[in-house]
Short mmCIF file of all heavy atoms in Angstrom, two decimals:
data_model
loop_
_atom_site.label_atom_id
_atom_site.label_comp_id
_atom_site.label_asym_id
_atom_site.label_seq_id
_atom_site.Cartn_x
_atom_site.Cartn_y
_atom_site.Cartn_z
N ALA A 359 -6.15 -5.66 -4.98
CA ALA A 359 -4.83 -5.68 -5.66
C ALA A 359 -4.21 -7.05 -5.56
O ALA A 359 -3.62 -7.57 -6.52
CB ALA A 359 -3.96 -4.59 -5.04
N ALA A 360 -4.32 -7.71 -4.40
CA ALA A 360 -3.78 -9.06 -4.19
C ALA A 360 -4.46 -10.02 -5.15
O ALA A 360 -3.80 -10.93 -5.73
CB ALA A 360 -3.94 -9.52 -2.74
N ILE A 361 -5.76 -9.88 -5.27
CA ILE A 361 -6.53 -10.81 -6.20
C ILE A 361 -6.06 -10.65 -7.64
O ILE A 361 -5.78 -11.60 -8.33
CB ILE A 361 -8.02 -10.51 -6.06
CG1 ILE A 361 -8.54 -10.92 -4.69
CG2 ILE A 361 -8.81 -11.26 -7.16
CD1 ILE A 361 -9.92 -10.39 -4.37
N ARG A 362 -5.91 -9.40 -8.11
CA ARG A 362 -5.48 -9.16 -9.46
C ARG A 362 -4.04 -9.63 -9.77
O ARG A 362 -3.77 -10.11 -10.82
CB ARG A 362 -5.65 -7.65 -9.83
CG ARG A 362 -7.03 -7.13 -9.72
CD ARG A 362 -8.08 -8.02 -10.43
NE ARG A 362 -9.45 -7.46 -10.36
CZ ARG A 362 -10.34 -7.76 -9.39
NH1 ARG A 362 -10.01 -8.57 -8.49
NH2 ARG A 362 -11.57 -7.25 -9.45
N MET A 363 -3.20 -9.49 -8.75
CA MET A 363 -1.80 -9.98 -8.94
C MET A 363 -1.79 -11.49 -9.03
O MET A 363 -1.09 -12.05 -9.89
CB MET A 363 -0.95 -9.53 -7.76
CG MET A 363 0.52 -9.79 -7.90
SD MET A 363 1.34 -8.76 -9.06
CE MET A 363 1.31 -7.19 -8.14
N THR A 364 -2.59 -12.14 -8.19
CA THR A 364 -2.68 -13.62 -8.23
C THR A 364 -3.21 -14.09 -9.56
O THR A 364 -2.72 -14.99 -10.18
CB THR A 364 -3.57 -14.10 -7.05
OG1 THR A 364 -3.00 -13.62 -5.83
CG2 THR A 364 -3.61 -15.60 -7.04
N PHE A 365 -4.27 -13.44 -10.00
CA PHE A 365 -4.92 -13.77 -11.28
C PHE A 365 -3.87 -13.60 -12.44
O PHE A 365 -3.81 -14.48 -13.31
CB PHE A 365 -6.15 -12.90 -11.50
CG PHE A 365 -6.64 -12.92 -12.88
CD1 PHE A 365 -7.35 -13.97 -13.42
CD2 PHE A 365 -6.44 -11.80 -13.70
CE1 PHE A 365 -7.82 -13.97 -14.72
CE2 PHE A 365 -6.91 -11.78 -15.04
CZ PHE A 365 -7.62 -12.90 -15.52
N ALA A 366 -3.20 -12.47 -12.42
CA ALA A 366 -2.27 -12.21 -13.56
C ALA A 366 -1.18 -13.22 -13.61
O ALA A 366 -0.84 -13.73 -14.74
CB ALA A 366 -1.67 -10.78 -13.32
N MET A 367 -0.62 -13.64 -12.49
CA MET A 367 0.45 -14.64 -12.48
C MET A 367 -0.10 -16.03 -12.86
O MET A 367 0.56 -16.79 -13.58
CB MET A 367 1.14 -14.64 -11.14
CG MET A 367 1.96 -13.38 -10.80
SD MET A 367 2.95 -13.54 -9.33
CE MET A 367 4.20 -14.74 -9.87
N ALA A 368 -1.29 -16.37 -12.34
CA ALA A 368 -1.83 -17.68 -12.66
C ALA A 368 -2.17 -17.77 -14.16
O ALA A 368 -2.02 -18.81 -14.77
CB ALA A 368 -3.10 -17.88 -11.82
N ARG A 369 -2.67 -16.67 -14.74
CA ARG A 369 -3.02 -16.69 -16.12
C ARG A 369 -1.79 -17.01 -17.00
O ARG A 369 -1.89 -17.52 -18.10
CB ARG A 369 -3.61 -15.31 -16.49
CG ARG A 369 -4.05 -15.15 -17.91
CD ARG A 369 -4.74 -13.80 -18.19
NE ARG A 369 -3.93 -12.68 -17.83
CZ ARG A 369 -4.34 -11.36 -17.89
NH1 ARG A 369 -5.56 -11.14 -18.30
NH2 ARG A 369 -3.53 -10.43 -17.56
N ASP A 370 -0.65 -16.57 -16.53
CA ASP A 370 0.64 -16.87 -17.23
C ASP A 370 1.21 -18.22 -16.83
O ASP A 370 2.38 -18.49 -17.18
CB ASP A 370 1.66 -15.78 -16.89
CG ASP A 370 1.40 -14.45 -17.65
OD1 ASP A 370 0.45 -14.42 -18.45
OD2 ASP A 370 2.14 -13.48 -17.39
N ARG A 371 0.45 -18.98 -16.11
CA ARG A 371 0.88 -20.32 -15.66
C ARG A 371 2.13 -20.22 -14.74
O ARG A 371 2.97 -21.07 -14.84
CB ARG A 371 1.16 -21.28 -16.82
CG ARG A 371 0.05 -21.36 -17.84
CD ARG A 371 -1.23 -22.04 -17.24
NE ARG A 371 -2.17 -22.36 -18.28
CZ ARG A 371 -3.19 -21.56 -18.67
NH1 ARG A 371 -3.34 -20.37 -18.03
NH2 ARG A 371 -3.99 -21.91 -19.58
N ARG A 372 2.15 -19.21 -13.95
CA ARG A 372 3.35 -18.99 -13.09
C ARG A 372 3.06 -19.18 -11.59
O ARG A 372 3.83 -18.76 -10.73
CB ARG A 372 3.93 -17.58 -13.37
CG ARG A 372 4.16 -17.34 -14.85
CD ARG A 372 5.08 -16.23 -15.11
NE ARG A 372 6.49 -16.55 -14.80
CZ ARG A 372 7.49 -15.69 -14.90
NH1 ARG A 372 7.26 -14.44 -15.18
NH2 ARG A 372 8.72 -16.07 -14.68
N LEU A 373 1.92 -19.85 -11.29
CA LEU A 373 1.57 -20.15 -9.88
C LEU A 373 1.04 -21.59 -9.90
O LEU A 373 0.50 -22.09 -10.90
CB LEU A 373 0.52 -19.22 -9.30
CG LEU A 373 0.95 -17.82 -9.00
CD1 LEU A 373 -0.28 -16.97 -8.50
CD2 LEU A 373 2.03 -17.80 -7.91
N PRO A 374 1.21 -22.29 -8.76
CA PRO A 374 0.59 -23.61 -8.63
C PRO A 374 -0.97 -23.43 -8.77
O PRO A 374 -1.52 -22.42 -8.48
CB PRO A 374 0.97 -24.02 -7.19
CG PRO A 374 2.18 -23.22 -6.89
CD PRO A 374 1.99 -21.93 -7.55
N PHE A 375 -1.57 -24.55 -9.24
CA PHE A 375 -3.09 -24.53 -9.44
C PHE A 375 -3.50 -23.32 -10.28
O PHE A 375 -4.55 -22.73 -10.02
CB PHE A 375 -3.78 -24.50 -8.03
CG PHE A 375 -3.22 -25.47 -7.07
CD1 PHE A 375 -2.45 -25.03 -5.98
CD2 PHE A 375 -3.48 -26.85 -7.18
CE1 PHE A 375 -1.94 -25.95 -5.06
CE2 PHE A 375 -2.97 -27.75 -6.28
CZ PHE A 375 -2.19 -27.30 -5.30
N ALA A 376 -2.69 -23.14 -11.33
CA ALA A 376 -2.94 -21.95 -12.20
C ALA A 376 -4.32 -21.98 -12.81
O ALA A 376 -4.99 -20.91 -13.02
CB ALA A 376 -1.86 -21.87 -13.29
N ARG A 377 -4.80 -23.14 -13.23
CA ARG A 377 -6.10 -23.15 -13.95
C ARG A 377 -7.19 -22.67 -13.08
O ARG A 377 -8.06 -21.85 -13.48
CB ARG A 377 -6.41 -24.60 -14.40
CG ARG A 377 -7.68 -24.71 -15.23
CD ARG A 377 -7.90 -26.18 -15.63
NE ARG A 377 -6.81 -26.64 -16.47
CZ ARG A 377 -6.75 -26.46 -17.80
NH1 ARG A 377 -7.75 -25.82 -18.39
NH2 ARG A 377 -5.75 -26.96 -18.52
N ALA A 378 -7.27 -23.08 -11.80
CA ALA A 378 -8.29 -22.62 -10.88
C ALA A 378 -8.07 -21.18 -10.54
O ALA A 378 -9.06 -20.41 -10.47
CB ALA A 378 -8.30 -23.49 -9.66
N LEU A 379 -6.84 -20.79 -10.31
CA LEU A 379 -6.57 -19.34 -9.87
C LEU A 379 -6.86 -18.36 -10.96
O LEU A 379 -7.04 -17.16 -10.70
CB LEU A 379 -5.15 -19.22 -9.37
CG LEU A 379 -4.87 -19.93 -8.03
CD1 LEU A 379 -3.36 -19.91 -7.78
CD2 LEU A 379 -5.57 -19.24 -6.90
N SER A 380 -6.78 -18.82 -12.24
CA SER A 380 -6.95 -17.87 -13.37
C SER A 380 -8.36 -17.91 -13.93
O SER A 380 -8.72 -17.21 -14.87
CB SER A 380 -5.99 -18.23 -14.49
OG SER A 380 -6.20 -19.52 -14.98
N LYS A 381 -9.25 -18.68 -13.33
CA LYS A 381 -10.61 -18.82 -13.85
C LYS A 381 -11.39 -17.57 -13.35
O LYS A 381 -11.44 -17.27 -12.19
CB LYS A 381 -11.28 -20.09 -13.39
CG LYS A 381 -12.65 -20.34 -13.97
CD LYS A 381 -13.24 -21.65 -13.57
CE LYS A 381 -14.62 -21.89 -14.10
NZ LYS A 381 -14.65 -21.77 -15.56
N VAL A 382 -12.16 -16.97 -14.29
CA VAL A 382 -12.98 -15.84 -14.02
C VAL A 382 -14.42 -16.25 -14.07
O VAL A 382 -14.89 -16.89 -15.05
CB VAL A 382 -12.72 -14.65 -15.02
CG1 VAL A 382 -13.72 -13.49 -14.76
CG2 VAL A 382 -11.29 -14.24 -14.94
N SER A 383 -15.20 -15.92 -13.04
CA SER A 383 -16.61 -16.25 -12.95
C SER A 383 -17.38 -15.56 -14.07
O SER A 383 -17.23 -14.42 -14.35
CB SER A 383 -17.18 -15.81 -11.61
OG SER A 383 -18.58 -15.85 -11.63
N GLU A 384 -18.20 -16.32 -14.80
CA GLU A 384 -19.04 -15.76 -15.86
C GLU A 384 -20.04 -14.82 -15.29
O GLU A 384 -20.42 -13.84 -15.97
CB GLU A 384 -19.70 -16.91 -16.62
CG GLU A 384 -18.80 -17.78 -17.43
CD GLU A 384 -18.22 -16.98 -18.62
OE1 GLU A 384 -18.90 -16.04 -19.13
OE2 GLU A 384 -17.10 -17.34 -19.08
N ARG A 385 -20.46 -15.02 -14.06
CA ARG A 385 -21.52 -14.18 -13.46
C ARG A 385 -20.92 -12.87 -12.98
O ARG A 385 -21.48 -11.83 -13.21
CB ARG A 385 -22.28 -14.99 -12.38
CG ARG A 385 -23.35 -14.22 -11.75
CD ARG A 385 -24.09 -15.06 -10.73
NE ARG A 385 -25.17 -14.34 -10.06
CZ ARG A 385 -25.93 -14.84 -9.08
NH1 ARG A 385 -25.74 -16.10 -8.70
NH2 ARG A 385 -26.90 -14.13 -8.57
N SER A 386 -19.93 -13.02 -12.12
CA SER A 386 -19.45 -11.79 -11.41
C SER A 386 -18.31 -11.14 -12.14
O SER A 386 -17.89 -10.03 -11.80
CB SER A 386 -18.95 -12.20 -10.00
OG SER A 386 -17.83 -13.06 -10.06
N LYS A 387 -17.74 -11.85 -13.18
CA LYS A 387 -16.59 -11.32 -13.94
C LYS A 387 -15.39 -10.99 -13.00
O LYS A 387 -14.67 -10.04 -13.23
CB LYS A 387 -16.99 -10.05 -14.74
CG LYS A 387 -18.06 -10.27 -15.72
CD LYS A 387 -17.65 -11.22 -16.83
CE LYS A 387 -18.76 -11.40 -17.89
NZ LYS A 387 -18.33 -12.33 -18.94
N THR A 388 -15.23 -11.86 -11.98
CA THR A 388 -14.11 -11.66 -11.01
C THR A 388 -13.47 -12.97 -10.79
O THR A 388 -14.15 -14.02 -10.82
CB THR A 388 -14.65 -11.01 -9.72
OG1 THR A 388 -13.58 -10.57 -8.95
CG2 THR A 388 -15.47 -12.03 -8.97
N PRO A 389 -12.16 -13.07 -10.51
CA PRO A 389 -11.50 -14.29 -10.18
C PRO A 389 -11.90 -14.78 -8.77
O PRO A 389 -11.48 -14.24 -7.76
CB PRO A 389 -10.03 -13.93 -10.21
CG PRO A 389 -9.94 -12.57 -10.89
CD PRO A 389 -11.22 -11.91 -10.53
N VAL A 390 -12.73 -15.80 -8.72
CA VAL A 390 -13.31 -16.23 -7.43
C VAL A 390 -12.31 -16.91 -6.57
O VAL A 390 -12.21 -16.57 -5.33
CB VAL A 390 -14.51 -17.19 -7.72
CG1 VAL A 390 -15.02 -17.80 -6.40
CG2 VAL A 390 -15.65 -16.46 -8.38
N VAL A 391 -11.56 -17.85 -7.09
CA VAL A 391 -10.60 -18.65 -6.26
C VAL A 391 -9.52 -17.70 -5.65
O VAL A 391 -9.18 -17.84 -4.46
CB VAL A 391 -9.97 -19.76 -7.04
CG1 VAL A 391 -8.94 -20.51 -6.24
CG2 VAL A 391 -11.06 -20.76 -7.49
N PRO A 392 -8.92 -16.75 -6.44
CA PRO A 392 -7.97 -15.85 -5.78
C PRO A 392 -8.58 -15.04 -4.66
O PRO A 392 -7.92 -14.74 -3.69
CB PRO A 392 -7.52 -14.96 -6.98
CG PRO A 392 -7.71 -15.78 -8.14
CD PRO A 392 -8.96 -16.62 -7.89
N ALA A 393 -9.87 -14.66 -4.79
CA ALA A 393 -10.52 -13.91 -3.72
C ALA A 393 -10.61 -14.76 -2.46
O ALA A 393 -10.35 -14.28 -1.39
CB ALA A 393 -11.90 -13.48 -4.15
N LEU A 394 -10.96 -16.01 -2.64
CA LEU A 394 -11.10 -16.91 -1.45
C LEU A 394 -9.71 -17.20 -0.84
O LEU A 394 -9.53 -17.24 0.34
CB LEU A 394 -11.79 -18.20 -1.86
CG LEU A 394 -13.28 -18.10 -2.23
CD1 LEU A 394 -13.77 -19.45 -2.82
CD2 LEU A 394 -14.10 -17.68 -1.04
N VAL A 395 -8.72 -17.42 -1.73
CA VAL A 395 -7.36 -17.75 -1.24
C VAL A 395 -6.80 -16.59 -0.46
O VAL A 395 -6.22 -16.72 0.63
CB VAL A 395 -6.49 -18.18 -2.39
CG1 VAL A 395 -5.04 -18.31 -1.96
CG2 VAL A 395 -6.92 -19.50 -2.96
N THR A 396 -6.80 -15.41 -1.08
CA THR A 396 -6.17 -14.25 -0.38
C THR A 396 -6.94 -13.87 0.90
O THR A 396 -6.29 -13.51 1.88
CB THR A 396 -6.18 -13.01 -1.35
OG1 THR A 396 -7.51 -12.75 -1.85
CG2 THR A 396 -5.27 -13.26 -2.53
N GLY A 397 -8.28 -14.01 0.84
CA GLY A 397 -9.06 -13.72 2.07
C GLY A 397 -8.69 -14.75 3.15
O GLY A 397 -8.49 -14.38 4.34
N GLY A 398 -8.63 -16.01 2.75
CA GLY A 398 -8.31 -17.06 3.72
C GLY A 398 -6.91 -16.95 4.31
O GLY A 398 -6.72 -17.14 5.50
N LEU A 399 -5.94 -16.57 3.44
CA LEU A 399 -4.56 -16.41 4.00
C LEU A 399 -4.42 -15.23 4.86
O LEU A 399 -3.62 -15.23 5.80
CB LEU A 399 -3.62 -16.31 2.77
CG LEU A 399 -3.40 -17.61 1.97
CD1 LEU A 399 -2.45 -17.37 0.75
CD2 LEU A 399 -2.81 -18.69 2.83
N THR A 400 -5.25 -14.18 4.56
CA THR A 400 -5.20 -13.01 5.48
C THR A 400 -5.73 -13.40 6.83
O THR A 400 -5.17 -12.93 7.90
CB THR A 400 -6.07 -11.84 4.93
OG1 THR A 400 -5.62 -11.55 3.59
CG2 THR A 400 -5.97 -10.66 5.80
N VAL A 401 -6.76 -14.24 6.91
CA VAL A 401 -7.30 -14.70 8.16
C VAL A 401 -6.17 -15.49 8.91
O VAL A 401 -6.05 -15.38 10.15
CB VAL A 401 -8.52 -15.58 7.93
CG1 VAL A 401 -8.91 -16.36 9.20
CG2 VAL A 401 -9.72 -14.69 7.42
N VAL A 402 -5.50 -16.33 8.15
CA VAL A 402 -4.37 -17.13 8.79
C VAL A 402 -3.36 -16.22 9.42
O VAL A 402 -2.90 -16.43 10.57
CB VAL A 402 -3.76 -18.08 7.72
CG1 VAL A 402 -2.51 -18.72 8.32
CG2 VAL A 402 -4.71 -19.10 7.31
N VAL A 403 -2.93 -15.17 8.66
CA VAL A 403 -1.94 -14.20 9.20
C VAL A 403 -2.47 -13.58 10.51
O VAL A 403 -1.72 -13.45 11.48
CB VAL A 403 -1.61 -13.11 8.15
CG1 VAL A 403 -0.74 -12.03 8.75
CG2 VAL A 403 -0.92 -13.78 6.97
N LEU A 404 -3.74 -13.24 10.51
CA LEU A 404 -4.29 -12.59 11.76
C LEU A 404 -4.34 -13.62 12.91
O LEU A 404 -4.03 -13.22 14.01
CB LEU A 404 -5.70 -12.13 11.41
CG LEU A 404 -5.85 -10.86 10.54
CD1 LEU A 404 -7.25 -10.63 10.10
CD2 LEU A 404 -5.27 -9.64 11.27
N LEU A 405 -4.68 -14.80 12.64
CA LEU A 405 -4.79 -15.82 13.75
C LEU A 405 -3.41 -16.14 14.28
O LEU A 405 -3.30 -16.40 15.50
CB LEU A 405 -5.48 -17.06 13.22
CG LEU A 405 -6.98 -16.91 12.89
CD1 LEU A 405 -7.51 -18.25 12.30
CD2 LEU A 405 -7.77 -16.47 14.09
N ILE A 406 -2.38 -16.14 13.43
CA ILE A 406 -1.03 -16.35 13.97
C ILE A 406 -0.65 -15.27 14.97
O ILE A 406 0.06 -15.56 15.93
CB ILE A 406 -0.03 -16.28 12.78
CG1 ILE A 406 -0.21 -17.62 11.93
CG2 ILE A 406 1.43 -16.25 13.27
CD1 ILE A 406 0.59 -17.59 10.63
N ASN A 407 -1.16 -14.06 14.80
CA ASN A 407 -0.86 -12.97 15.69
C ASN A 407 -1.82 -12.77 16.82
O ASN A 407 -1.77 -11.82 17.55
CB ASN A 407 -0.79 -11.65 14.89
CG ASN A 407 0.39 -11.56 13.96
OD1 ASN A 407 1.47 -11.26 14.31
ND2 ASN A 407 0.12 -11.89 12.67
N LEU A 408 -2.77 -13.73 16.98
CA LEU A 408 -3.80 -13.60 17.97
C LEU A 408 -3.16 -13.49 19.41
O LEU A 408 -2.46 -14.35 19.83
CB LEU A 408 -4.68 -14.85 17.94
CG LEU A 408 -5.87 -14.87 18.95
CD1 LEU A 408 -6.80 -13.70 18.64
CD2 LEU A 408 -6.62 -16.17 18.84
#
Side-chain angles (χ1 to χ4, degrees):
I361 292 168
R362 298 312 181 267
M363 187 74 69
T364 304
F365 165 74
M367 292 188 69
R369 182 174 58 180
D370 285 356
R371 308 294 190 267
R372 306 196 78 184
L373 286 177
F375 312 107
R377 185 179 297 275
L379 289 170
S380 62
K381 185 175 178 58
V382 176
S383 167
E384 290 292 333
R385 181 177 180 181
S386 65
K387 299 297 182 182
T388 193
V390 172
V391 176
L394 293 171
V395 169
T396 55
L399 290 176
T400 305
V401 169
V402 171
V403 172
L404 288 169
L405 291 178
I406 290 173
N407 290 279
L408 183 63

